[in-house]
Amino acid sequence: MGYKTDIEIAQECEMKPITEIAAKAGIDDKYLEQYGKYKAKIENITNPYVPVECIFITPNEYDEELFENYIQLIKNHNPEHVIVVPGGKSVAIAEEYYDNIKDEFESVFYPLTYDDESSRDDLVMQLVKNSKFDKVVKINHEDSSILGSDDGSGSSSSGEGVEVPSGENNDEPDDEHDNVIIHLGRNNKFQKNIYWEFGNPDLENRHMLIQGASGQGKTYFIQKILQQLSHNNIPSIIIDYTNGFKKKELDDNFKRDLDDKIKTIMVITDKIALNPFKKYNIELDEGIVHTQDNEEVANRFKSIIGSVYPNLGVQQLSTVYDACFNGLEKFGDDMDLIRFKEELEKIDSPNSKTALSQLKEFLDKNPFNFSHDFDWSILDGSNDEIHIIQLTGLSRDIQKVISEFLLWDLWYYKQQNGSKDNPFFVVLDEAQNLDFSAESPCGKILTEGRKYGWAACFATQSVKNIFKKDEISRLNNVGEKIFFKPPDNEISNVAATLANYSFNKNHWKDELSNLTKGNCIVKGLRVEKDVMLNSPIKIEIDKIN
Protein backbone atom coordinates (compact mmCIF):
# COMPACT_ATOMS: atom_id res chain seq x y z
CA MET A 1 0.00 0.00 0.00
CA GLY A 2 1.52 3.32 -1.09
CA TYR A 3 1.48 6.63 0.75
CA LYS A 4 -0.07 9.80 -0.65
CA THR A 5 2.17 12.68 -1.55
CA ASP A 6 1.89 16.05 0.14
CA ILE A 7 0.28 17.59 -2.93
CA GLU A 8 -2.29 14.79 -3.14
CA ILE A 9 -3.25 15.33 0.51
CA ALA A 10 -3.51 19.09 -0.04
CA GLN A 11 -5.68 18.68 -3.17
CA GLU A 12 -8.20 16.60 -1.21
CA CYS A 13 -8.71 19.37 1.37
CA GLU A 14 -11.42 22.00 0.96
CA MET A 15 -9.98 25.51 1.12
CA LYS A 16 -11.74 27.93 3.45
CA PRO A 17 -12.01 31.70 2.96
CA ILE A 18 -9.22 33.64 4.64
CA THR A 19 -11.80 35.74 6.52
CA GLU A 20 -13.09 32.57 8.19
CA ILE A 21 -9.55 31.56 9.20
CA ALA A 22 -8.89 35.07 10.54
CA ALA A 23 -12.12 35.06 12.57
CA LYS A 24 -11.07 31.84 14.29
CA ALA A 25 -7.80 33.53 15.19
CA GLY A 26 -9.67 36.53 16.60
CA ILE A 27 -8.57 38.93 13.84
CA ASP A 28 -11.16 41.42 12.59
CA ASP A 29 -11.74 41.84 8.85
CA LYS A 30 -10.64 45.48 9.05
CA TYR A 31 -7.05 44.37 9.68
CA LEU A 32 -6.93 42.20 6.55
CA GLU A 33 -5.59 43.32 3.18
CA GLN A 34 -7.05 40.56 0.99
CA TYR A 35 -5.42 39.12 -2.12
CA GLY A 36 -8.32 37.15 -3.54
CA LYS A 37 -10.51 34.86 -1.47
CA TYR A 38 -7.85 32.72 0.18
CA LYS A 39 -4.90 35.01 0.93
CA ALA A 40 -4.47 38.19 2.95
CA LYS A 41 -1.86 40.38 4.53
CA ILE A 42 -2.42 41.30 8.18
CA GLU A 43 -2.09 45.00 8.80
CA ASN A 44 -0.49 46.35 11.99
CA ILE A 45 -3.00 45.72 14.79
CA THR A 46 -0.91 46.90 17.71
CA ASN A 47 -2.17 49.83 19.71
CA PRO A 48 -0.71 53.19 18.68
CA TYR A 49 1.76 54.76 21.05
CA VAL A 50 0.11 56.98 23.67
CA PRO A 51 2.36 59.47 25.48
CA VAL A 52 2.31 58.84 29.23
CA GLU A 53 2.76 61.07 32.25
CA CYS A 54 3.46 59.50 35.66
CA ILE A 55 2.49 61.01 39.00
CA PHE A 56 4.96 59.58 41.50
CA ILE A 57 3.72 59.77 45.09
CA THR A 58 6.90 59.30 47.09
CA PRO A 59 7.29 56.81 49.95
CA ASN A 60 7.36 57.96 53.54
CA GLU A 61 10.55 58.51 55.48
CA TYR A 62 12.15 55.16 56.48
CA ASP A 63 10.42 53.43 53.55
CA GLU A 64 13.49 53.64 51.35
CA GLU A 65 13.26 49.97 50.38
CA LEU A 66 10.17 50.89 48.33
CA PHE A 67 11.99 53.48 46.27
CA GLU A 68 13.53 51.08 43.76
CA ASN A 69 10.16 49.36 43.30
CA TYR A 70 8.65 52.71 42.36
CA ILE A 71 11.44 53.42 39.92
CA GLN A 72 10.89 50.08 38.20
CA LEU A 73 7.16 50.73 37.95
CA ILE A 74 7.83 54.14 36.41
CA LYS A 75 10.29 52.68 33.90
CA ASN A 76 7.73 50.06 32.86
CA HIS A 77 5.43 52.87 31.67
CA ASN A 78 8.23 54.63 29.73
CA PRO A 79 6.79 58.07 30.56
CA GLU A 80 7.58 61.28 28.75
CA HIS A 81 7.11 63.23 31.96
CA VAL A 82 7.07 62.53 35.71
CA ILE A 83 5.48 64.63 38.45
CA VAL A 84 6.89 63.98 41.91
CA VAL A 85 4.49 64.59 44.80
CA PRO A 86 5.28 64.13 48.51
CA GLY A 87 3.61 61.00 49.86
CA GLY A 88 4.42 61.74 53.50
CA LYS A 89 4.70 64.70 55.77
CA SER A 90 8.35 65.40 55.01
CA VAL A 91 8.80 67.51 51.90
CA ALA A 92 12.59 67.34 52.36
CA ILE A 93 12.57 63.53 52.06
CA ALA A 94 10.35 63.72 48.98
CA GLU A 95 12.74 66.20 47.39
CA GLU A 96 15.61 63.84 48.13
CA TYR A 97 13.77 61.13 46.16
CA TYR A 98 13.21 63.61 43.36
CA ASP A 99 16.93 64.49 43.26
CA ASN A 100 17.70 60.82 42.67
CA ILE A 101 15.42 60.44 39.64
CA LYS A 102 15.48 63.82 37.90
CA ASP A 103 18.45 62.78 35.75
CA GLU A 104 16.61 59.63 34.60
CA PHE A 105 13.30 61.23 33.67
CA GLU A 106 11.97 64.56 32.45
CA SER A 107 10.37 65.53 35.74
CA VAL A 108 9.11 68.25 38.03
CA PHE A 109 8.74 68.42 41.82
CA TYR A 110 5.63 69.75 43.56
CA PRO A 111 6.81 70.76 47.10
CA LEU A 112 3.27 70.97 48.46
CA THR A 113 2.35 70.03 52.01
CA TYR A 114 -1.05 68.83 53.08
CA ASP A 115 -2.52 67.43 56.24
CA ASP A 116 -4.68 64.56 55.13
CA GLU A 117 -5.10 62.03 52.38
CA SER A 118 -8.08 63.76 50.79
CA SER A 119 -5.96 66.86 50.16
CA ARG A 120 -3.41 64.74 48.37
CA ASP A 121 -6.11 63.05 46.28
CA ASP A 122 -7.54 66.44 45.34
CA LEU A 123 -4.09 67.57 44.24
CA VAL A 124 -3.57 64.42 42.15
CA MET A 125 -6.91 64.78 40.39
CA GLN A 126 -6.17 68.44 39.69
CA LEU A 127 -2.84 67.44 38.14
CA VAL A 128 -4.66 64.89 35.98
CA LYS A 129 -7.21 67.46 34.87
CA ASN A 130 -4.50 69.92 33.91
CA SER A 131 -2.27 67.36 32.21
CA LYS A 132 -1.59 67.77 28.50
CA PHE A 133 -1.11 64.00 28.21
CA ASP A 134 -3.88 61.60 27.19
CA LYS A 135 -2.74 58.98 29.68
CA VAL A 136 -1.71 59.67 33.27
CA VAL A 137 -0.50 56.93 35.63
CA LYS A 138 -0.30 57.25 39.40
CA ILE A 139 2.58 55.38 41.06
CA ASN A 140 2.56 54.55 44.75
CA HIS A 141 2.95 51.51 46.99
CA GLU A 142 -0.77 50.71 46.92
CA ASP A 143 -1.23 50.42 43.19
CA SER A 144 -0.35 51.67 39.74
CA SER A 145 -3.56 53.12 38.34
CA ILE A 146 -4.43 54.68 35.02
CA LEU A 147 -6.06 58.00 35.88
CA GLY A 148 -6.50 59.45 32.41
CA SER A 149 -7.98 57.92 29.27
CA ASP A 150 -7.55 58.28 25.54
CA ASP A 151 -10.37 60.78 25.36
CA GLY A 152 -8.91 62.88 28.17
CA SER A 153 -11.97 62.36 30.34
CA GLY A 154 -9.93 61.64 33.44
CA SER A 155 -11.85 58.45 34.19
CA SER A 156 -10.02 55.97 36.37
CA SER A 157 -9.42 52.30 35.70
CA SER A 158 -7.42 49.81 37.67
CA GLY A 159 -3.90 49.12 36.53
CA GLU A 160 -1.68 46.61 38.30
CA GLY A 161 -3.62 46.62 41.55
CA VAL A 162 -3.93 42.86 42.07
CA GLU A 163 -0.93 40.89 43.32
CA VAL A 164 -0.44 37.70 41.31
CA PRO A 165 1.63 34.87 42.87
CA SER A 166 4.92 34.85 40.99
CA GLY A 167 5.54 32.04 38.55
CA GLU A 168 1.83 31.38 37.96
CA ASN A 169 0.20 32.32 34.66
CA ASN A 170 -2.04 30.92 31.97
CA ASP A 171 0.75 30.36 29.48
CA GLU A 172 2.07 26.90 28.87
CA PRO A 173 5.55 26.56 30.46
CA ASP A 174 8.51 25.87 28.20
CA ASP A 175 9.56 23.01 30.49
CA GLU A 176 8.41 21.45 33.74
CA HIS A 177 10.59 23.75 35.88
CA ASP A 178 9.45 27.09 34.41
CA ASN A 179 6.80 27.61 37.10
CA VAL A 180 8.95 26.63 40.07
CA ILE A 181 9.05 29.30 42.76
CA ILE A 182 10.73 28.88 46.15
CA HIS A 183 9.22 30.60 49.16
CA LEU A 184 11.98 32.43 51.01
CA GLY A 185 10.05 34.15 53.77
CA ARG A 186 7.58 36.90 54.57
CA ASN A 187 7.93 40.64 54.71
CA ASN A 188 5.94 41.62 57.77
CA LYS A 189 6.00 45.36 57.11
CA PHE A 190 4.08 45.06 53.85
CA GLN A 191 2.42 41.71 54.66
CA LYS A 192 3.59 39.81 51.61
CA ASN A 193 5.44 36.61 50.82
CA ILE A 194 8.76 36.79 49.00
CA TYR A 195 9.85 34.12 46.52
CA TRP A 196 12.93 33.02 44.63
CA GLU A 197 11.85 32.91 40.98
CA PHE A 198 13.80 29.71 40.41
CA GLY A 199 12.09 28.73 37.18
CA ASN A 200 11.72 32.20 35.69
CA PRO A 201 13.34 32.23 32.23
CA ASP A 202 14.32 35.88 32.76
CA LEU A 203 16.83 34.88 35.45
CA GLU A 204 20.41 35.35 34.32
CA ASN A 205 21.35 32.37 36.48
CA ARG A 206 19.99 30.23 39.31
CA HIS A 207 22.92 30.78 41.66
CA MET A 208 22.55 32.08 45.20
CA LEU A 209 25.01 33.84 47.51
CA ILE A 210 24.26 33.71 51.24
CA GLN A 211 26.26 35.96 53.54
CA GLY A 212 26.14 36.43 57.29
CA ALA A 213 27.89 35.83 60.57
CA SER A 214 27.80 32.40 62.21
CA GLY A 215 24.66 31.47 64.11
CA GLN A 216 22.21 33.69 62.20
CA GLY A 217 20.26 30.89 60.49
CA LYS A 218 22.04 30.30 57.17
CA THR A 219 22.02 26.49 57.38
CA TYR A 220 18.37 26.40 58.46
CA PHE A 221 17.49 28.67 55.53
CA ILE A 222 19.30 26.33 53.11
CA GLN A 223 17.31 23.37 54.47
CA LYS A 224 14.09 25.25 53.73
CA ILE A 225 15.20 25.69 50.12
CA LEU A 226 16.31 22.07 49.80
CA GLN A 227 12.93 20.87 51.04
CA GLN A 228 11.00 22.89 48.46
CA LEU A 229 13.31 21.88 45.61
CA SER A 230 12.78 18.24 46.53
CA HIS A 231 9.02 18.77 46.45
CA ASN A 232 9.47 20.13 42.92
CA ASN A 233 11.53 17.10 41.83
CA ILE A 234 14.77 19.04 41.55
CA PRO A 235 17.76 17.02 42.84
CA SER A 236 20.30 18.48 45.24
CA ILE A 237 23.79 17.66 46.43
CA ILE A 238 25.69 19.06 49.41
CA ILE A 239 29.44 18.83 49.74
CA ASP A 240 29.62 19.16 53.51
CA TYR A 241 32.95 20.08 55.06
CA THR A 242 31.36 22.15 57.84
CA ASN A 243 29.48 19.39 59.73
CA GLY A 244 26.39 21.57 59.32
CA PHE A 245 24.55 18.89 57.34
CA LYS A 246 25.27 15.89 59.53
CA LYS A 247 21.93 14.18 60.18
CA LYS A 248 22.00 14.99 63.86
CA GLU A 249 22.33 18.69 62.95
CA LEU A 250 19.39 18.75 60.54
CA ASP A 251 15.99 20.11 61.55
CA ASP A 252 13.61 17.39 62.81
CA ASN A 253 10.77 18.51 60.53
CA PHE A 254 13.15 18.53 57.58
CA LYS A 255 14.21 14.95 58.30
CA ARG A 256 10.65 13.80 59.00
CA ASP A 257 9.34 15.25 55.77
CA LEU A 258 12.11 14.03 53.45
CA ASP A 259 13.05 10.85 55.34
CA ASP A 260 14.63 8.32 52.95
CA LYS A 261 15.10 10.96 50.26
CA ILE A 262 18.16 12.13 52.21
CA LYS A 263 21.18 10.07 51.12
CA THR A 264 24.56 10.37 52.85
CA ILE A 265 28.00 9.25 51.65
CA MET A 266 30.49 9.11 54.54
CA VAL A 267 33.84 9.64 52.83
CA ILE A 268 36.08 8.86 55.82
CA THR A 269 34.73 5.29 55.94
CA ASP A 270 33.70 4.63 52.34
CA LYS A 271 36.16 6.82 50.40
CA ILE A 272 34.92 8.73 47.38
CA ALA A 273 34.56 7.08 43.97
CA LEU A 274 36.75 9.43 41.97
CA ASN A 275 40.00 9.34 40.00
CA PRO A 276 41.93 12.63 40.37
CA PHE A 277 44.02 11.67 37.32
CA LYS A 278 41.06 11.07 35.01
CA LYS A 279 41.24 12.31 31.42
CA TYR A 280 37.96 14.02 30.61
CA ASN A 281 36.36 14.45 27.22
CA ILE A 282 35.83 18.13 26.43
CA GLU A 283 33.49 19.32 23.67
CA LEU A 284 35.41 22.02 21.81
CA ASP A 285 32.62 22.62 19.32
CA GLU A 286 29.55 20.85 18.03
CA GLY A 287 30.66 17.34 17.14
CA ILE A 288 34.30 18.01 18.08
CA VAL A 289 35.42 16.28 21.28
CA HIS A 290 38.92 16.46 22.74
CA THR A 291 40.26 13.99 25.30
CA GLN A 292 42.59 15.62 27.80
CA ASP A 293 46.25 14.70 27.52
CA ASN A 294 48.80 14.08 30.29
CA GLU A 295 49.89 17.71 30.36
CA GLU A 296 46.35 18.98 30.95
CA VAL A 297 45.70 16.44 33.72
CA ALA A 298 48.99 17.28 35.44
CA ASN A 299 48.17 21.01 35.24
CA ARG A 300 44.73 20.45 36.77
CA PHE A 301 46.21 18.38 39.60
CA LYS A 302 48.91 21.00 40.26
CA SER A 303 46.32 23.81 40.23
CA ILE A 304 44.15 22.14 42.87
CA ILE A 305 47.12 21.35 45.09
CA GLY A 306 48.32 24.94 44.75
CA SER A 307 44.93 26.38 45.73
CA VAL A 308 44.67 24.22 48.87
CA TYR A 309 48.31 24.44 49.96
CA PRO A 310 49.24 28.12 49.47
CA ASN A 311 52.63 27.64 51.18
CA LEU A 312 53.85 25.63 48.22
CA GLY A 313 55.79 27.96 45.94
CA VAL A 314 56.24 27.88 42.19
CA GLN A 315 59.22 25.52 42.33
CA GLN A 316 57.55 23.07 44.71
CA LEU A 317 54.41 23.02 42.53
CA SER A 318 56.63 22.39 39.52
CA THR A 319 57.78 19.13 41.12
CA VAL A 320 54.12 18.22 41.78
CA TYR A 321 53.44 18.73 38.07
CA ASP A 322 56.50 16.68 37.06
CA ALA A 323 55.62 13.78 39.35
CA CYS A 324 52.06 13.72 38.03
CA PHE A 325 53.09 13.99 34.39
CA ASN A 326 55.82 11.33 34.70
CA GLY A 327 53.43 8.95 36.41
CA LEU A 328 50.80 9.41 33.70
CA GLU A 329 53.40 8.76 31.02
CA LYS A 330 54.42 5.51 32.72
CA PHE A 331 51.16 4.14 34.09
CA GLY A 332 48.46 5.75 31.98
CA ASP A 333 44.99 4.97 33.33
CA ASP A 334 46.52 3.01 36.23
CA MET A 335 47.97 6.17 37.75
CA ASP A 336 46.98 6.70 41.40
CA LEU A 337 48.14 8.60 44.50
CA ILE A 338 50.55 5.85 45.56
CA ARG A 339 52.36 6.05 42.23
CA PHE A 340 52.27 9.86 42.38
CA LYS A 341 54.00 9.74 45.76
CA GLU A 342 56.66 7.38 44.37
CA GLU A 343 57.31 9.68 41.40
CA LEU A 344 57.61 12.69 43.70
CA GLU A 345 60.12 10.80 45.87
CA LYS A 346 62.18 9.91 42.77
CA ILE A 347 62.69 13.56 41.93
CA ASP A 348 64.65 13.76 45.20
CA SER A 349 65.20 17.52 45.35
CA PRO A 350 64.71 20.04 48.17
CA ASN A 351 61.56 21.27 46.42
CA SER A 352 60.08 17.81 45.99
CA LYS A 353 60.83 16.99 49.63
CA THR A 354 59.05 20.17 50.73
CA ALA A 355 56.05 19.19 48.60
CA LEU A 356 56.08 15.67 50.08
CA SER A 357 56.15 17.10 53.57
CA GLN A 358 53.17 19.37 52.87
CA LEU A 359 51.14 16.62 51.17
CA LYS A 360 52.02 13.79 53.56
CA GLU A 361 48.67 13.59 55.36
CA PHE A 362 46.71 13.78 52.10
CA LEU A 363 48.81 11.08 50.44
CA ASP A 364 48.72 8.81 53.49
CA LYS A 365 44.93 9.15 53.82
CA ASN A 366 44.43 8.48 50.08
CA PRO A 367 40.67 9.26 50.21
CA PHE A 368 39.83 8.18 46.64
CA ASN A 369 38.35 4.91 45.43
CA PHE A 370 39.78 4.38 41.95
CA SER A 371 37.71 1.28 41.14
CA HIS A 372 34.77 3.15 39.58
CA ASP A 373 33.47 6.63 38.78
CA PHE A 374 31.07 8.57 40.94
CA ASP A 375 27.50 8.14 39.69
CA TRP A 376 26.49 11.70 38.88
CA SER A 377 23.33 10.50 37.13
CA ILE A 378 21.68 11.01 40.53
CA LEU A 379 21.50 14.67 39.49
CA ASP A 380 19.93 14.05 36.09
CA GLY A 381 16.28 14.70 35.27
CA SER A 382 13.42 14.88 37.77
CA ASN A 383 14.62 13.56 41.09
CA ASP A 384 13.53 14.45 44.61
CA GLU A 385 16.60 13.13 46.43
CA ILE A 386 19.07 15.15 48.49
CA HIS A 387 22.60 13.73 48.48
CA ILE A 388 25.08 14.72 51.17
CA ILE A 389 28.77 14.01 50.60
CA GLN A 390 29.88 14.10 54.21
CA LEU A 391 33.53 15.00 54.77
CA THR A 392 33.43 15.08 58.55
CA GLY A 393 36.42 13.54 60.33
CA LEU A 394 38.91 14.57 57.65
CA SER A 395 41.34 17.46 58.04
CA ARG A 396 40.33 20.75 56.47
CA ASP A 397 43.01 20.53 53.76
CA ILE A 398 41.88 17.06 52.71
CA GLN A 399 38.25 18.22 52.71
CA LYS A 400 39.16 21.09 50.40
CA VAL A 401 41.17 18.85 48.04
CA ILE A 402 38.27 16.39 47.78
CA SER A 403 35.78 19.21 47.21
CA GLU A 404 37.80 20.68 44.35
CA PHE A 405 38.22 17.31 42.62
CA LEU A 406 34.51 16.54 43.08
CA LEU A 407 33.52 19.85 41.53
CA TRP A 408 35.79 19.26 38.53
CA ASP A 409 34.36 15.75 38.09
CA LEU A 410 30.80 17.03 38.23
CA TRP A 411 31.64 19.96 35.95
CA TYR A 412 32.92 17.72 33.18
CA TYR A 413 30.05 15.27 33.63
CA LYS A 414 27.44 18.02 33.26
CA GLN A 415 29.25 19.47 30.24
CA GLN A 416 28.41 16.21 28.51
CA ASN A 417 25.05 15.45 30.10
CA GLY A 418 23.56 18.66 31.52
CA SER A 419 21.22 21.32 30.16
CA LYS A 420 19.58 24.48 31.46
CA ASP A 421 16.20 22.74 31.37
CA ASN A 422 17.34 20.10 33.88
CA PRO A 423 18.54 22.09 36.91
CA PHE A 424 20.21 20.64 39.98
CA PHE A 425 21.13 22.37 43.23
CA VAL A 426 24.64 22.27 44.71
CA VAL A 427 25.28 23.57 48.25
CA LEU A 428 28.76 24.82 49.10
CA ASP A 429 28.80 26.13 52.67
CA GLU A 430 31.82 28.08 53.96
CA ALA A 431 32.57 28.80 50.31
CA GLN A 432 35.54 31.01 51.20
CA ASN A 433 37.55 27.78 51.54
CA LEU A 434 37.21 27.04 47.82
CA ASP A 435 39.06 28.32 44.76
CA PHE A 436 37.12 31.01 42.84
CA SER A 437 39.75 31.91 40.27
CA ALA A 438 38.57 32.20 36.67
CA GLU A 439 39.70 28.72 35.64
CA SER A 440 38.58 26.92 38.81
CA PRO A 441 35.36 24.88 38.87
CA CYS A 442 33.62 27.51 41.03
CA GLY A 443 34.73 30.22 38.62
CA LYS A 444 33.32 28.27 35.68
CA ILE A 445 30.09 27.45 37.53
CA LEU A 446 29.47 31.15 38.13
CA THR A 447 30.14 32.22 34.54
CA GLU A 448 29.02 29.23 32.45
CA GLY A 449 27.07 26.92 34.74
CA ARG A 450 23.52 28.01 33.85
CA LYS A 451 23.58 26.34 30.42
CA TYR A 452 24.49 23.00 32.01
CA GLY A 453 21.81 23.15 34.70
CA TRP A 454 23.90 24.36 37.65
CA ALA A 455 22.09 26.12 40.48
CA ALA A 456 24.85 26.68 43.03
CA CYS A 457 24.39 27.99 46.55
CA PHE A 458 27.52 29.66 47.95
CA ALA A 459 27.34 30.43 51.67
CA THR A 460 30.01 32.41 53.47
CA GLN A 461 30.38 34.57 56.56
CA SER A 462 32.18 37.32 54.71
CA VAL A 463 33.39 38.42 51.30
CA LYS A 464 35.68 41.38 51.81
CA ASN A 465 39.34 40.65 52.62
CA ILE A 466 38.76 36.96 51.83
CA PHE A 467 38.04 36.89 48.12
CA LYS A 468 40.09 38.66 45.48
CA LYS A 469 38.61 41.54 43.52
CA ASP A 470 37.90 39.49 40.39
CA GLU A 471 36.40 36.69 42.50
CA ILE A 472 34.06 39.15 44.24
CA SER A 473 33.00 40.42 40.83
CA ARG A 474 32.03 36.90 39.76
CA LEU A 475 30.21 36.24 43.04
CA ASN A 476 28.27 39.49 42.70
CA ASN A 477 26.78 38.19 39.44
CA VAL A 478 24.69 35.54 41.20
CA GLY A 479 20.98 35.91 40.58
CA GLU A 480 19.86 35.77 44.20
CA LYS A 481 21.61 37.34 47.19
CA ILE A 482 20.68 36.67 50.81
CA PHE A 483 22.12 38.79 53.61
CA PHE A 484 21.89 37.69 57.23
CA LYS A 485 23.37 39.92 59.90
CA PRO A 486 27.01 40.38 58.86
CA PRO A 487 30.06 40.81 61.08
CA ASP A 488 30.31 44.41 62.28
CA ASN A 489 33.24 45.20 59.99
CA GLU A 490 31.21 44.09 56.95
CA ILE A 491 28.02 46.10 57.54
CA SER A 492 29.09 49.18 55.59
CA ASN A 493 30.25 47.14 52.58
CA VAL A 494 27.06 45.07 52.46
CA ALA A 495 24.94 48.22 52.78
CA ALA A 496 26.74 49.68 49.76
CA THR A 497 25.86 46.51 47.83
CA LEU A 498 22.18 46.87 48.71
CA ALA A 499 21.91 50.62 48.07
CA ASN A 500 21.64 51.42 44.37
CA TYR A 501 21.02 55.04 45.36
CA SER A 502 23.43 56.81 47.68
CA PHE A 503 20.74 58.31 49.91
CA ASN A 504 19.57 54.94 51.26
CA LYS A 505 22.93 53.44 52.23
CA ASN A 506 22.42 54.55 55.84
CA HIS A 507 18.99 52.96 55.79
CA TRP A 508 20.45 49.58 54.88
CA LYS A 509 23.24 49.95 57.44
CA ASP A 510 20.56 50.34 60.10
CA GLU A 511 18.56 47.40 58.75
CA LEU A 512 21.62 45.12 58.68
CA SER A 513 22.72 46.15 62.17
CA ASN A 514 19.29 45.38 63.60
CA LEU A 515 18.77 41.99 61.95
CA THR A 516 18.01 39.20 64.41
CA LYS A 517 18.40 35.44 63.98
CA GLY A 518 16.02 34.09 61.37
CA ASN A 519 15.70 37.44 59.57
CA CYS A 520 17.57 38.46 56.44
CA ILE A 521 17.52 40.81 53.46
CA VAL A 522 16.84 39.39 50.02
CA LYS A 523 17.97 40.91 46.73
CA GLY A 524 17.00 39.16 43.54
CA LEU A 525 14.46 39.07 40.75
CA ARG A 526 10.88 38.87 41.99
CA VAL A 527 7.50 39.41 40.40
CA GLU A 528 4.94 41.69 42.03
CA LYS A 529 1.77 42.81 40.29
CA ASP A 530 3.19 41.32 37.08
CA VAL A 531 6.18 43.66 37.38
CA MET A 532 9.78 42.45 37.54
CA LEU A 533 11.56 43.92 40.57
CA ASN A 534 15.12 43.53 41.81
CA SER A 535 15.17 45.74 44.89
CA PRO A 536 16.24 44.47 48.34
CA ILE A 537 13.60 43.59 50.90
CA LYS A 538 13.71 42.33 54.48
CA ILE A 539 12.07 38.99 55.31
CA GLU A 540 11.45 36.68 58.24
CA ILE A 541 12.12 33.01 57.53
CA ASP A 542 9.18 30.69 58.16
CA LYS A 543 9.52 27.45 60.06
CA ILE A 544 10.10 24.23 58.17
CA ASN A 545 6.92 22.14 58.17
Side-chain angles (χ1 to χ4, degrees), residues 405-418:
F405 278 117
L406 278 169
L407 288 172
W408 268 128
D409 204 51
L410 179 54
W411 174 258
Y412 286 120
Y413 175 84
K414 282 296 181 178
Q415 268 197 318
Q416 299 294 316
N417 302 282

Side-chain angles (χ1 to χ4, degrees), residues 302-322:
K302 181 193 76 171
S303 176
I304 291 175
I305 295 301
S307 70
V308 176
Y309 297 91
N311 291 331
L312 289 177
V314 174
Q315 293 179 326
Q316 287 90 32
L317 288 173
S318 179
T319 64
V320 169
Y321 171 89
D322 289 341

Side-chain angles (χ1 to χ4, degrees), residues 319-353:
T319 64
V320 169
Y321 171 89
D322 289 341
C324 184
F325 181 84
N326 294 340
L328 288 165
E329 289 284 302
K330 291 180 183 178
F331 305 109
D333 293 340
D334 293 326
M335 178 65 171
D336 57 23
L337 284 182
I338 295 174
R339 292 186 170 98
F340 167 77
K341 182 179 179 181
E342 291 171 349
E343 291 300 317
L344 195 54
E345 289 172 336
K346 287 178 183 177
I347 295 175
D348 194 25
S349 70
N351 289 319
S352 66
K353 290 176 181 177

Side-chain angles (χ1 to χ4, degrees), residues 74-122:
I74 293 172
K75 287 180 178 178
N76 289 342
H77 290 288
N78 190 26
E80 291 197 5
H81 190 253
V82 178
I83 299 174
V84 180
V85 178
K89 294 182 178 180
S90 174
V91 176
I93 292 298
E95 189 165 12
E96 196 169 359
Y97 291 133
Y98 167 69
D99 287 341
N100 279 275
I101 71 166
K102 64 184 181 183
D103 291 334
E104 293 188 57
F105 308 101
E106 183 70 31
S107 55
V108 63
F109 179 61
Y110 274 66
L112 302 179
T113 60
Y114 44 85
D115 298 325
D116 54 48
E117 187 173 347
S118 62
S119 299
R120 181 186 66 190
D121 292 341
D122 289 344

Side-chain angles (χ1 to χ4, degrees), residues 360-400:
K360 185 179 188 308
E361 183 185 11
F362 167 60
L363 296 174
D364 290 345
K365 180 63 70 175
N366 195 359
F368 301 110
N369 179 352
F370 288 77
S371 63
H372 61 281
D373 291 334
F374 192 90
D375 182 16
W376 292 116
S377 66
I378 58 176
L379 299 178
D380 291 343
S382 293
N383 186 333
D384 61 1
E385 292 180 343
I386 297 172
H387 295 265
I388 303 172
I389 299 179
Q390 185 52 254
L391 301 177
T392 188
L394 298 168
S395 72
R396 179 49 59 94
D397 285 344
I398 295 177
Q399 291 175 341
K400 288 160 67 175

